Amino acid sequence: MANFVYIATSLDGYIAGPGGELDWLMNFPNPGKSDFGFGKFIKQINALVMGRKTFEKVLTFGTWPYPKPVFVLSSTLRQIPEHLEGKVELINGDLRAIVNDLNDRRFKNLYIDGGQTVQGFMREGLVDELIISVIPIVLGAGLPLFGKLDEAQRFELVKNEAFKNGIVKTHYRRSR
């Protein structure tokens, strides 16, 4: 059982622009059209947990990109779009209780996505592995990947990959 963060950041640690923009990421040159290991990663995941804002951003992509069940953390959403019934479930509450419930439901490996959601899981010490792809761009402002923690959390390097287009993907595992 593990909770994974698989995410891209700018060199200065932002996951989106000041208004949630992702154009810098979507328009980044990818000559080989690589998925940078995402396909392999998603195969080991049982479900995704994402925040409402991330869910709403993904809805703008047009095609639903996830082949696994998605759980959306929200205290304000009351329903999901009809075309996503059976693929998306709304959840709310204490993060530890949510993880325990999903694990009891046989969702053992969770992909945690979305700025506030990642920060919440980090604050609770619930992130086991970080896979961060750093895009060689400095945004100067935006939505940071990490937020305030009550205490430092240590991670050890699992793997580091550099791609020809300048992206560096680093995989860390939490030191216990």
Side-chain angles (χ1 to χ4, degrees), residues 38 41-50 55 58 64-73 80 84-91 102 105-113:
F38 184 77
F41 165 76
I42 202 74
K43 287 180 183 175
Q44 69 180 348
I45 297 302
N46 302 119
L48 290 83
V49 177
M50 68 175 58
F55 175 64
V58 171
W64 186 246
Y66 302 112
K68 306 286 175 124
V70 174
F71 296 90
V72 177
L73 284 166
I80 56 167
L84 293 176
E85 287 181 12
K87 296 178 182 180
V88 176
E89 182 179 322
L90 296 174
I91 56 175
L102 292 175
R105 292 169 60 185
R106 299 187 186 210
F107 299 111
K108 303 292 185 185
N109 292 317
L110 302 175
Y111 169 13
I112 312 306
D113 196 18

Side-chain angles (χ1 to χ4, degrees), residues 79-145:
Q79 61 184 22
I80 56 167
E82 191 175 303
H83 72 282
L84 293 176
E85 287 181 12
K87 296 178 182 180
V88 176
E89 182 179 322
L90 296 174
I91 56 175
N92 189 13
D94 174 79
L95 294 180
R96 287 187 185 282
I98 287 170
V99 168
N100 288 337
D101 178 60
L102 292 175
N103 289 169
D104 288 347
R105 292 169 60 185
R106 299 187 186 210
F107 299 111
K108 303 292 185 185
N109 292 317
L110 302 175
Y111 169 13
I112 312 306
D113 196 18
Q116 291 179 359
T117 302
V118 169
Q119 290 177 18
F121 272 73
M122 288 292 296
R123 272 192 306 277
E124 294 296 320
L126 292 171
V127 173
D128 301 300
E129 300 195 28
L130 293 164
I131 303 166
I132 303 171
S133 294
V134 178
I135 310 300
I137 186 172
V138 176
L139 296 177
L143 305 173
L145 172 56

